[in-house]
Amino acid sequence: MTVKPKRKYLILLFISLMVSAIVILDLSMIQEQEAARVEGELYTTPEPIPSEAGVFRRSEFAMDYNNMPDDPQHQRSLDTYYKNRAYSGAPPTIPHIILSESGMGGKSCLQCHQNGGYVAQFNANAPVTPHPELINCKQCHVPVKSNTFFKESSFTRLEEPEINNQALPGSPPMIPHALQMRENCLACHAGPAAPKEIRVTHPERVNCRQCHAAKPTLNIEWTRPTTETKE
Amino acid sequence: MKREAYNIEEQSRRSFIKRMAAASAMTAASALLPDITFAKSKETLQSGELQWKKSPCRFCGVGCGLLIGLKDGKAVAVKGDPASSVNKGLCCVKGYHSVMALYGKDRLRKPLIKRNGKWVEVTMQEALDLVASKMKETIAKSGKDSVSIYGSGQWTIPDGYVATKFMRAGIGSNNIEANARLCMSSAATGLVTSFGMDEPMGCYEDINHADVFVLWGNNMAEMHPVLFSRLLDQRLKRGCIIIDLSTRTTRTSLAADKTIQFKPQSDLAIANAICYELVKNDWVNHSFVEKHCALKKGKTDIGYGLEDNFQFTDEPTSIDWKEYENFLSDYTPIKTAEISGVSVKDIKYLASLYGNANKKIMSLWCMGPNQHTRGTWMNNLIYNIHLLTGKISTPGNSPFSLTGQPSACGTVREVGTLTHLLPHGTVTNEEDRKHAAHIWKVPVEKIPAKPTYHTVEMFRALDRGEIKFMWIQVTNPMVTMPNLKRYRDGAKKEDRFIVVSDVYPTPTTDIADVILPSAMWIEREGMFGNSERRTQHFEKMIEPQGECMSDTWQIIEVAKRMGHGKLFPWTKENHIEEIWKEYSLFHEGNKHGIAPYEVLKANPGIQWPYVNGKETKWRYHSKYDPAAKGESFDFYGKPEGKAWIWARPFEPAPEVPDSEFPFWLNTGRVLEHWHTGSLTRRISVLHQAVPHSYVELNPQDAASMNIRTGDKVKLISRRGQIVLPASVNERGQPPKGQVFVPFFDESLLINELTLDAFCPISRQPDYKKCAIQVMKA
């Protein structure tokens, strides 16, 4: 029996519609279950595995990053990267004068920080934000208008994660930091503003987490389920 | 596979390899010696490992879920809890750096007693003995209403619960107040007068459903940034409209789709004008109003509370639809445009947003309508708009008052740490008193039926000498009281004894006779209740520094010393759980049932009413609220299940700019600092972002006085004066004739200038309006 090509497309269309219907139903059921979830036991985190949102963002620039010439004069280092963070993982402060105290995302900060590039005014390359959809930037990133302390503090600063953390000699290094809000690797690991120590040598292989696993942040016990064994 | 969400250990590479090595050694060993089983190596937290535990944020009333990074017994990092439905993993700059507030070098670690004008370090036992004996002595000499406790919306729920039980069931006085009177009480009286019960009908999830957001005098981008980011996110995804209805240009104005600016106090007229337009264009949901609403009017020309011993009681009377329509006729768009400075077109536009039957709408407000000499009225009027259109108690249709403190709702409004409240009901209601006396196992006569002093009057009574002993916990009134000088001078008078429990030296500890060092936030166990009826538990994660003791336990220790020990028969280990169990008895039932302790511990916050294992997201509608009867709406807080629509007129502010004092003074917060800055200024990132206070001027006003950013400017009111640097064209921009000053800076105390006028119904002062002179210093 041969199927006419037209009919084939029609069948394909129906199949895809059915699949999407099932997916949508499934999703809404899961959502409903989640809304009703209020039990007494210690609950499991809904997101033990880092979110995939934004993983491939910026991959369209990968070839440009690959062909980018070195610019040691304006290169950032991990030192400067950590300098404006209270601890590893804290939102960085704004190390330059801000053009508008009241400006919002798209109209101010994102002009430079969405795609990065050299900014003559500051003689530096603008770092790229991994989360350009959050436009109330100064909710988390604040300027530095004074170098004084109101009172001294004895806060212990968290050590920065080690960068060469291969599990085996020669194996791809693991991701040593939390990925929440930093799911997009290329934003910080490629491009002219990427700190030299963590700049990736192969930005064109955009599927980063294919080789670089998130270092376990959860202490997961796993035991094989007991099954009947041969006598 | 077992994953424990909140006992997450971040493994360092070294320990990972160590464990791998141990595991392979064991495997090898068991291969060599098959008959011997090796015990599994026990997983314990090794030194140097990072562990994450959940807690609500210490700062504002949004109540973000945080994960606190702990290492070697110290809190070292913060991330947003992705499992929290409040913030879904995002925080603001205060939250991310909040743990740094635990480690200021000048942390109070030892009790201090003032002897001959000098601070002397003593032991906790000695300090608590002194507090108890002083309290006893004062009661013996001047009566039980001469002692008082002044607490806070930053009190945990157990703190507030033991404080109210100690005062009412122990001492037998209603002399207990909390600083939430200064920030939340208009929201509470607004809800009680309109719906008969406190706390909002909606919740944050309304944000995911609403098509329009109207922000009434609310700089949400700075004050509730995490929620505002949810608004922005929804706008990006669904194309919502954000309207900024405000008195000055702020960061929120820049993000909003439209900004409508009005003259101070004229929000009363605008709200009524919206109702006028709804009626005129027949956008009223008549069947809803007939079935579910009653029309009322109250007293007018109700005063401002500027005189001592001011008294006011409202008298609601019923009116009919004709009378209500007649009342609204004073608020035509043309008349209102004159009062408010808002164009007729904009008033009609606002009304059309509320009136559009196809749009779900959320009104959001905080200190603008609440810190208002007609604060209760303003709250009533916003509810009127939602009631006339029937846009309430359903997803996305939500009038919602935001809160400023982490537990203003949980501890002050729900536990009842205001003079007239009990954990359930009011002291004036005999049934409520009997109920409380039964749970507390004291004779009902013990609890006085008459409220005593609200906050402003309590400090006036301290000044007059009726109150001689005050115990202040977790708050800084010597920065936050309006007309500050009078209350500071009063507190410093001979023969007044002030005890302050806090974590850092503040202007309030400066006037103390005893300072008790408190264990802060995650140094002890507790619960906070946020703006959307969500209670969040946090465990003790780190050891308190020095002799620091939780506020709960300080009160229990003093109560024991005064012979009230049997009210608090709990141990240090179990008291938080036992307090929660006892407190739950007050709220039994489907109108306010609260979650069991174990459930709170296991979840990132639970909303009440918690009935049969389920949270209630929307109240007063039978589809969502198990307490609501009938097919749809049931406002069961009021008789016949009907919400009240109030005829509340526009009345002017008590002090309006004139030729002598020609400028309006508005005060408030900035994103980086929280309240009086005693915590946030000790966080280097936040201090360095906003190192000191300033006065925001309109660029035209500044130009006419030849003032530029950084120049010194003198502000003078009838009560005091202050010199501070100018800010022109920076973060915010007031309109001509107005200035704005943040209140966080203890060395630039703007409350020396503010007026201690308050809403006669809620007794909440208005920090947003008084008249001043402005000049180059």
Side-chain angles (χ1 to χ4, degrees):
Chain A
M1 199 180 80
T2 54
V3 186
K4 281 183 191 163
K6 252 190 188 168
R7 202 169 287 168
K8 207 153 76 183
Y9 286 123
L10 214 64
I11 291 168
L12 264 173
L13 179 74
F14 274 114
I15 289 173
S16 62
L17 275 174
M18 253 174 62
V19 168
S20 52
I22 290 166
V23 168
I24 289 167
L25 264 173
D26 239 357
L27 279 177
S28 73
M29 266 167 68
I30 289 169
Q31 253 179 8
E32 229 169 68
Q33 277 172 353
E34 271 198 351
R37 171 191 54 78
V38 185
E39 308 100 18
E41 288 164 41
L42 257 187
Y43 76 86
T44 53
T45 153
E47 245 184 336
I49 296 165
S51 156
E52 295 290 313
V55 170
F56 288 108
R57 195 183 270 164
R58 310 198 63 74
S59 38
E60 67 270 30
F61 302 111
M63 288 316 287
D64 296 342
Y65 291 149
N66 204 15
N67 299 328
M68 198 179 63
D70 262 0
D71 178 11
Q73 226 188 323
H74 301 108
Q75 212 162 29
R76 286 205 304 162
S77 69
L78 267 186
D79 229 29
T80 51
Y81 177 89
Y82 284 120
K83 213 171 214 162
N84 61 340
R85 281 159 172 82
Y87 55 88
S88 159
T93 52
I94 304 170
H96 57 77
I97 344 159
I98 34 181
L99 307 179
S100 151
E101 263 278 0
S102 49
M104 268 273 161
K107 289 174 200 143
S108 68
C109 314
L110 286 179
Q111 294 282 335
C112 297
H113 292 286
Q114 179 141 27
N115 288 321
Y118 181 70
V119 183
Q121 190 179 357
F122 302 124
N123 189 27
N125 289 306
V128 174
T129 174
H131 42 253
E133 70 283 2
L134 298 169
I135 59 166
N136 192 5
C137 313
K138 280 169 270 184
Q139 164 181 336
C140 301
H141 306 284
V142 294
V144 185
K145 297 199 167 168
S146 156
N147 287 315
T148 60
F149 291 96
F150 179 65
K151 302 283 173 197
E152 291 279 317
S153 172
S154 53
F155 176 73
T156 343
R157 196 185 154 113
L158 199 60
E159 274 169 60
E160 283 84 41
E162 294 172 64
I163 44 171
N164 295 316
N165 55 3
Q166 289 100 327
L168 302 168
S171 71
M174 291 182 285
I175 305 170
H177 59 76
L179 285 166
Q180 195 176 317
M181 297 182 70
R182 284 170 287 173
E183 292 92 354
N184 178 219
C185 311
L186 290 181
C188 306
H189 291 280
K196 57 178 191 270
E197 297 90 338
I198 59 165
R199 185 183 290 179
V200 64
T201 54
H202 44 272
E204 74 283 4
R205 295 181 207 158
V206 292
N207 193 6
C208 314
R209 285 194 230 163
Q210 167 184 335
C211 301
H212 303 279
K215 202 175 142 187
T217 55
L218 293 167
N219 185 17
I220 299 166
E221 275 178 41
W222 189 82
T223 41
R224 281 195 64 199
T226 41
T227 46
E228 300 279 315
T229 47
K230 253 201 302 198
E231 280 296 305
Chain B
M1 186 152 78
K2 195 176 118 206
R3 295 191 191 115
E4 286 190 346
Y6 289 130
N7 193 14
I8 301 164
E9 292 171 18
E10 197 135 293
Q11 299 171 331
S12 72
R13 170 176 155 258
R14 236 170 257 118
S15 69
F16 174 70
I17 288 172
K18 240 187 276 171
R19 268 197 286 268
M20 290 278 287
S24 52
M26 276 198 311
T27 318
S30 32
L32 289 171
L33 308 157
D35 290 329
I36 300 165
T37 50
F38 286 79
K40 220 174 129 202
S41 71
K42 207 173 163 226
E43 297 274 345
T44 46
L45 191 68
Q46 292 170 10
S47 97
E49 280 187 291
L50 190 61
Q51 189 184 29
W52 298 93
K53 286 188 173 171
K54 66 144 182 161
S55 169
C57 182
R58 171 65 180 76
F59 296 118
C60 83
V62 169
C64 292
L66 307 185
L67 293 172
I68 311 282
L70 302 161
K71 193 179 159 189
D72 300 334
K74 284 188 168 165
V76 293
V78 172
K79 50 187 188 185
D81 183 355
S84 166
S85 70
V86 173
N87 53 315
K88 304 167 197 280
L90 183 65
C91 302
C92 80
V93 69
K94 294 187 293 299
Y96 282 120
H97 299 96
S98 53
V99 291
M100 298 173 85
L102 293 156
Y103 300 109
K105 278 213 173 135
D106 60 338
R107 187 69 199 270
L108 295 167
R109 294 181 180 87
K110 290 246 160 141
L112 296 165
I113 288 178
K114 204 166 240 175
R115 274 193 200 131
N116 307 322
K118 277 198 175 142
W119 288 114
V120 183
E121 260 185 26
V122 294
T123 64
M124 202 65 179
Q125 297 307 321
E126 211 178 318
L128 292 165
D129 285 346
L130 176 66
V131 172
S133 69
K134 228 13 198 191
M135 209 165 179
K136 245 192 201 155
E137 183 193 311
T138 311
I139 293 170
K141 215 162 106 190
S142 314
K144 55 193 173 59
D145 283 339
S146 65
V147 298
S148 65
I149 284 192
Y150 182 59
S152 166
Q154 298 155 65
W155 254 345
T156 67
I157 292 173
D159 299 337
Y161 184 78
V162 297
T164 193
K165 188 174 182 184
F166 170 51
M167 284 308 287
R168 297 185 222 260
I171 288 172
S173 166
N174 285 325
N175 271 0
I176 174 167
E177 275 280 301
N179 66 0
R181 175 75 76 179
L182 311 176
C183 73
M184 288 298 305
S185 54
S186 297
T189 51
L191 281 159
V192 170
T193 47
S194 290
F195 303 96
M197 288 175 91
D198 192 12
E199 299 295 8
M201 54 290 299
C203 59
Y204 298 159
E205 206 184 303
D206 286 310
I207 296 169
N208 301 2
H209 301 276
D211 305 302
V212 180
F213 301 94
V214 182
L215 315 183
W216 290 77
N218 185 201
N219 181 9
M220 210 176 162
E222 285 201 68
M223 306 320 157
H224 300 94
V226 172
L227 282 187
F228 192 68
S229 283
R230 285 183 63 177
L231 260 60
L232 295 175
D233 178 51
Q234 289 296 315
R235 183 170 68 179
L236 209 63
K237 288 175 182 156
R238 300 190 290 118
C240 319
I241 300 172
I242 301 174
I243 307 288
D244 167 50
L245 185 55
S246 57
T247 58
R248 70 180 175 116
T249 307
T250 63
R251 195 176 282 174
T252 307
S253 318
L254 283 138
D257 297 280
K258 186 173 172 65
T259 296
I260 299 173
Q261 260 177 23
F262 59 92
K263 291 181 193 158
Q265 192 83 355
S266 71
D267 42 358
L268 291 157
I270 294 167
N272 276 321
I274 292 170
C275 295
Y276 172 89
E277 280 290 301
L278 294 175
V279 172
K280 189 183 148 233
N281 294 301
D282 202 23
W283 290 331
V284 173
N285 183 338
H286 290 287
S287 70
F288 176 91
V289 172
E290 265 162 47
K291 262 189 251 164
H292 306 296
C293 303
L295 298 165
K296 302 280 168 178
K297 71 169 183 193
K299 286 188 188 167
T300 55
D301 198 8
I302 60 177
Y304 301 100
L306 280 163
E307 54 282 8
D308 277 34
N309 297 309
F310 173 88
Q311 295 291 333
F312 175 79
T313 320
D314 204 7
E315 275 168 25
T317 46
S318 290
I319 53 171
D320 58 24
W321 184 256
K322 265 265 145 315
E323 277 174 89
Y324 181 60
E325 251 184 282
N326 203 22
F327 159 80
L328 288 180
S329 65
D330 284 344
Y331 304 97
T332 62
I334 294 173
K335 285 184 196 166
T336 304
E338 260 171 53
I339 303 170
S340 65
V342 177
S343 71
V344 170
K345 197 174 139 210
D346 282 348
I347 291 169
K348 291 191 171 192
Y349 172 67
L350 271 176
S352 74
L353 290 174
Y354 280 104
N356 186 338
N358 300 319
K359 291 244 184 275
K360 291 182 193 150
I361 193 160
M362 199 172 178
S363 301
L364 292 145
W365 69 95
C366 196
M367 290 309 124
N370 289 345
Q371 288 181 337
H372 195 303
T373 47
R374 294 293 177 265
T376 310
W377 288 10
M378 251 333 284
N379 278 264
N380 292 148
L381 290 173
I382 299 173
Y383 295 128
N384 285 358
I385 302 171
H386 284 264
L387 288 170
L388 286 172
T389 49
K391 293 187 178 184
I392 197 162
S393 293
T394 45
N397 284 319
S398 182
F400 198 95
S401 170
L402 297 160
T403 43
Q405 298 189 85
S407 203
C409 289
T411 305
V412 180
R413 289 159 66 175
E414 291 161 27
V415 173
T417 52
L418 298 175
T419 180
H420 63 295
L421 291 177
L422 287 169
H424 183 268
T426 57
V427 295
T428 45
N429 182 310
E430 200 187 342
E431 285 308 307
D432 293 339
R433 280 201 315 279
K434 278 184 183 162
H435 184 214
H438 174 73
I439 292 171
W440 287 339
K441 301 192 182 80
V442 292
V444 66
E445 303 75 46
K446 187 83 192 183
I447 306 167
K450 222 178 139 237
T452 52
Y453 307 104
H454 58 84
T455 295
V456 172
E457 201 56 37
M458 189 181 263
F459 278 91
R460 286 177 184 168
L462 184 70
D463 178 32
R464 293 194 299 262
E466 291 153 35
I467 288 178
K468 302 226 183 274
F469 174 103
M470 189 186 275
W471 187 353
I472 299 166
Q473 286 197 324
V474 223
T475 186
N476 195 0
M478 291 305 118
V479 177
T480 57
M481 285 302 288
N483 189 11
L484 187 55
K485 188 175 184 301
R486 173 178 179 191
Y487 303 113
R488 186 176 49 232
D489 289 350
K492 277 158 65 179
K493 278 184 181 166
E494 255 328 274
D495 195 25
R496 309 285 189 279
F497 197 85
I498 313 283
V499 180
V500 178
S501 305
D502 213 326
V503 297
Y504 287 111
T506 66
T508 305
T509 60
D510 288 348
I511 56 130
D513 296 278
V514 176
I515 301 174
L516 299 174
S518 292
M520 178 187 157
W521 187 26
I522 52 173
E523 292 172 343
R524 40 80 52 94
E525 185 187 1
M527 300 94 172
F528 287 151
N530 80 352
S531 306
E532 56 157 0
R533 296 176 273 111
R534 181 177 300 278
T535 315
Q536 306 191 60
H537 172 271
F538 52 97
E539 63 180 282
K540 177 179 163 182
M541 301 179 199
I542 48 178
E543 283 304 316
Q545 304 175 25
E547 287 203 58
C548 294
M549 184 186 275
S550 79
D551 296 310
T552 306
W553 202 254
Q554 288 177 16
I555 294 173
I556 291 177
E557 285 287 339
V558 168
K560 281 181 179 166
R561 284 165 169 76
M562 293 177 67
H564 303 301
K566 63 178 186 302
L567 292 172
F568 309 99
W570 313 307
T571 66
K572 249 187 172 167
E573 288 68 41
N574 74 3
H575 69 290
I576 300 292
E577 184 175 359
E578 292 301 316
I579 287 168
W580 187 257
K581 278 188 195 152
E582 187 180 298
Y583 171 53
S584 304
L585 300 176
F586 279 93
H587 291 316
E588 274 177 349
N590 55 7
K591 287 178 184 165
H592 195 149
I594 53 179
Y597 178 74
E598 301 71 38
V599 175
L600 278 187
K601 267 187 106 163
N603 286 280
I606 296 283
Q607 279 181 289
W608 64 261
Y610 182 77
V611 185
N612 300 326
K614 271 190 84 175
E615 297 173 287
T616 305
K617 287 184 175 165
W618 291 279
R619 295 162 90 195
Y620 309 136
H621 193 296
S622 55
K623 194 171 163 192
Y624 313 99
D625 180 353
K629 295 190 186 78
E631 298 279 286
S632 59
F633 298 94
D634 175 15
F635 297 102
Y636 49 75
K638 285 283 192 193
E640 297 170 33
K642 285 184 170 182
W644 290 7
I645 291 173
W646 284 92
R648 301 289 205 191
F650 165 79
E651 283 180 7
E655 190 180 82
V656 178
D658 52 22
S659 53
E660 200 187 341
F661 295 91
F663 282 84
W664 281 111
L665 167 67
N666 179 10
T667 68
R669 279 188 38 219
V670 291
L671 187 143
E672 290 83 348
H673 287 299
W674 193 74
H675 274 207
T676 60
S678 59
L679 300 178
T680 48
R681 297 186 92 193
R682 285 169 173 89
I683 298 172
S684 56
V685 175
L686 303 176
H687 167 70
Q688 289 170 0
V690 187
H692 55 75
S693 186
Y694 51 81
V695 52
E696 266 175 20
L697 296 164
N698 176 272
Q700 283 181 12
D701 288 336
S704 72
M705 289 181 276
N706 199 20
I707 295 169
R708 273 174 288 186
T709 296
D711 288 354
K712 284 196 171 134
V713 177
K714 190 188 232 174
L715 309 181
I716 307 169
S717 82
R718 290 182 175 88
R719 294 152 295 279
Q721 54 175 283
I722 179 178
V723 175
L724 69 183
S727 162
V728 186
N729 269 329
E730 290 193 306
R731 192 174 296 191
Q733 197 185 102
K736 246 174 112 40
Q738 298 184 31
V739 305
F740 172 82
V741 179
F743 75 93
F744 70 84
D745 192 337
E746 64 179 56
S747 42
L748 296 168
L749 291 167
I750 192 58
N751 279 319
E752 306 276 14
L753 275 68
T754 50
L755 183 66
D756 52 349
F758 52 80
C759 166
I761 302 172
S762 70
R763 283 90 170 178
Q764 175 171 353
D766 187 333
Y767 291 87
K768 304 288 187 189
K769 299 166 208 92
C770 72
I772 60 160
Q773 296 170 7
V774 178
M775 63 193 71
K776 196 168 177 177

